[in-house]
PDB file of all heavy atoms in Angstrom:
ATOM      1  N   GLY J1153      53.228  25.928  45.911  1.00 93.00           N
ATOM      2  CA  GLY J1153      54.523  26.318  45.423  1.00 93.00           C
ATOM      3  C   GLY J1153      54.973  27.691  46.010  1.00 93.00           C
ATOM      4  O   GLY J1153      54.889  27.869  47.229  1.00 93.00           O
ATOM      5  N   VAL J1154      55.507  28.554  45.104  1.00 93.00           N
ATOM      6  CA  VAL J1154      55.944  29.875  45.574  1.00 93.00           C
ATOM      7  C   VAL J1154      54.763  30.850  45.821  1.00 93.00           C
ATOM      8  O   VAL J1154      54.985  32.033  46.094  1.00 93.00           O
ATOM      9  CB  VAL J1154      56.960  30.431  44.625  1.00 93.00           C
ATOM     10  CG1 VAL J1154      58.214  29.591  44.669  1.00 93.00           C
ATOM     11  CG2 VAL J1154      56.519  30.641  43.275  1.00 93.00           C
ATOM     12  N   GLY J1155      53.565  30.419  45.645  1.00 95.00           N
ATOM     13  CA  GLY J1155      52.504  31.179  46.044  1.00 95.00           C
ATOM     14  C   GLY J1155      51.728  32.135  45.043  1.00 95.00           C
ATOM     15  O   GLY J1155      50.827  32.901  45.415  1.00 95.00           O
ATOM     16  N   SER J1179      59.979  26.722  49.075  1.00 93.00           N
ATOM     17  CA  SER J1179      58.871  27.330  48.309  1.00 93.00           C
ATOM     18  C   SER J1179      57.974  28.182  49.260  1.00 93.00           C
ATOM     19  O   SER J1179      57.571  29.221  48.903  1.00 93.00           O
ATOM     20  CB  SER J1179      58.014  26.273  47.626  1.00 93.00           C
ATOM     21  OG  SER J1179      58.755  25.628  46.509  1.00 93.00           O
ATOM     22  N   ILE J1180      57.659  27.612  50.382  1.00 96.00           N
ATOM     23  CA  ILE J1180      56.827  28.348  51.432  1.00 96.00           C
ATOM     24  C   ILE J1180      57.586  29.615  51.682  1.00 96.00           C
ATOM     25  O   ILE J1180      56.917  30.732  51.960  1.00 96.00           O
ATOM     26  CB  ILE J1180      56.466  27.432  52.543  1.00 96.00           C
ATOM     27  CG1 ILE J1180      55.511  26.383  52.052  1.00 96.00           C
ATOM     28  CG2 ILE J1180      55.953  28.291  53.750  1.00 96.00           C
ATOM     29  CD1 ILE J1180      54.180  26.990  51.530  1.00 96.00           C
ATOM     30  N   GLU J1181      58.931  29.623  52.030  1.00 96.00           N
ATOM     31  CA  GLU J1181      59.602  30.711  52.385  1.00 96.00           C
ATOM     32  C   GLU J1181      59.500  31.844  51.350  1.00 96.00           C
ATOM     33  O   GLU J1181      59.285  32.996  51.687  1.00 96.00           O
ATOM     34  CB  GLU J1181      61.126  30.472  52.646  1.00 96.00           C
ATOM     35  CG  GLU J1181      61.360  29.532  53.780  1.00 96.00           C
ATOM     36  CD  GLU J1181      62.805  29.074  53.850  1.00 96.00           C
ATOM     37  OE1 GLU J1181      63.565  29.552  53.147  1.00 96.00           O
ATOM     38  OE2 GLU J1181      63.059  28.160  54.742  1.00 96.00           O
ATOM     39  N   GLU J1182      59.612  31.469  50.099  1.00 93.00           N
ATOM     40  CA  GLU J1182      59.374  32.340  48.946  1.00 93.00           C
ATOM     41  C   GLU J1182      58.070  32.939  48.900  1.00 93.00           C
ATOM     42  O   GLU J1182      57.930  34.145  48.649  1.00 93.00           O
ATOM     43  CB  GLU J1182      59.793  31.702  47.645  1.00 93.00           C
ATOM     44  CG  GLU J1182      59.842  32.503  46.403  1.00 93.00           C
ATOM     45  CD  GLU J1182      61.049  33.490  46.329  1.00 93.00           C
ATOM     46  OE1 GLU J1182      61.970  33.309  47.220  1.00 93.00           O
ATOM     47  OE2 GLU J1182      61.038  34.424  45.552  1.00 93.00           O
ATOM     48  N   ALA J1183      57.086  32.048  49.125  1.00 95.00           N
ATOM     49  CA  ALA J1183      55.643  32.584  49.144  1.00 95.00           C
ATOM     50  C   ALA J1183      55.423  33.555  50.196  1.00 95.00           C
ATOM     51  O   ALA J1183      54.782  34.644  50.038  1.00 95.00           O
ATOM     52  CB  ALA J1183      54.725  31.320  49.333  1.00 95.00           C
ATOM     53  N   ARG J1184      56.035  33.314  51.416  1.00 96.00           N
ATOM     54  CA  ARG J1184      55.839  34.235  52.457  1.00 96.00           C
ATOM     55  C   ARG J1184      56.490  35.551  52.194  1.00 96.00           C
ATOM     56  O   ARG J1184      55.959  36.653  52.584  1.00 96.00           O
ATOM     57  CB  ARG J1184      56.440  33.691  53.805  1.00 96.00           C
ATOM     58  CG  ARG J1184      55.685  32.583  54.361  1.00 96.00           C
ATOM     59  CD  ARG J1184      56.320  31.819  55.512  1.00 96.00           C
ATOM     60  NE  ARG J1184      55.473  30.802  56.173  1.00 96.00           N
ATOM     61  CZ  ARG J1184      55.955  29.837  56.968  1.00 96.00           C
ATOM     62  NH1 ARG J1184      57.223  29.820  57.233  1.00 96.00           N
ATOM     63  NH2 ARG J1184      55.051  28.966  57.435  1.00 96.00           N
ATOM     64  N   ARG J1185      57.593  35.575  51.445  1.00 94.00           N
ATOM     65  CA  ARG J1185      58.195  36.803  51.113  1.00 94.00           C
ATOM     66  C   ARG J1185      57.341  37.610  50.139  1.00 94.00           C
ATOM     67  O   ARG J1185      57.090  38.869  50.271  1.00 94.00           O
ATOM     68  CB  ARG J1185      59.636  36.560  50.408  1.00 94.00           C
ATOM     69  CG  ARG J1185      60.708  36.313  51.408  1.00 94.00           C
ATOM     70  CD  ARG J1185      62.097  36.414  50.781  1.00 94.00           C
ATOM     71  NE  ARG J1185      62.322  35.316  49.867  1.00 94.00           N
ATOM     72  CZ  ARG J1185      62.872  34.080  50.247  1.00 94.00           C
ATOM     73  NH1 ARG J1185      63.187  33.890  51.459  1.00 94.00           N
ATOM     74  NH2 ARG J1185      63.069  33.134  49.260  1.00 94.00           N
ATOM     75  N   HIS J1186      56.735  36.875  49.118  1.00 90.00           N
ATOM     76  CA  HIS J1186      55.794  37.507  48.236  1.00 90.00           C
ATOM     77  C   HIS J1186      54.657  38.123  48.978  1.00 90.00           C
ATOM     78  O   HIS J1186      54.220  39.260  48.725  1.00 90.00           O
ATOM     79  CB  HIS J1186      55.309  36.517  47.239  1.00 90.00           C
ATOM     80  CG  HIS J1186      56.353  36.103  46.225  1.00 90.00           C
ATOM     81  ND1 HIS J1186      56.267  34.906  45.572  1.00 90.00           N
ATOM     82  CD2 HIS J1186      57.415  36.652  45.788  1.00 90.00           C
ATOM     83  CE1 HIS J1186      57.255  34.697  44.780  1.00 90.00           C
ATOM     84  NE2 HIS J1186      57.962  35.789  44.934  1.00 90.00           N
ATOM     85  N   ALA J1187      54.059  37.374  49.913  1.00 93.00           N
ATOM     86  CA  ALA J1187      52.922  37.928  50.652  1.00 93.00           C
ATOM     87  C   ALA J1187      53.339  39.140  51.587  1.00 93.00           C
ATOM     88  O   ALA J1187      52.572  40.081  51.583  1.00 93.00           O
ATOM     89  CB  ALA J1187      52.354  36.751  51.616  1.00 93.00           C
ATOM     90  N   PHE J1198      51.001  31.135  54.656  1.00 98.00           N
ATOM     91  CA  PHE J1198      51.573  29.959  54.006  1.00 98.00           C
ATOM     92  C   PHE J1198      52.194  29.012  55.120  1.00 98.00           C
ATOM     93  O   PHE J1198      52.851  29.453  55.990  1.00 98.00           O
ATOM     94  CB  PHE J1198      52.585  30.365  53.013  1.00 98.00           C
ATOM     95  CG  PHE J1198      52.078  31.111  51.771  1.00 98.00           C
ATOM     96  CD1 PHE J1198      52.062  32.550  51.787  1.00 98.00           C
ATOM     97  CD2 PHE J1198      51.539  30.495  50.724  1.00 98.00           C
ATOM     98  CE1 PHE J1198      51.504  33.240  50.749  1.00 98.00           C
ATOM     99  CE2 PHE J1198      50.978  31.125  49.674  1.00 98.00           C
ATOM    100  CZ  PHE J1198      51.043  32.540  49.635  1.00 98.00           C
TER     101      PHE J1198
END
Side-chain angles (χ1 to χ4, degrees):
V1154 295
S1179 291
I1180 290 297
E1181 291 172 9
E1182 186 72 13
R1184 286 171 177 166
R1185 282 195 290 271
H1186 290 154
F1198 292 96

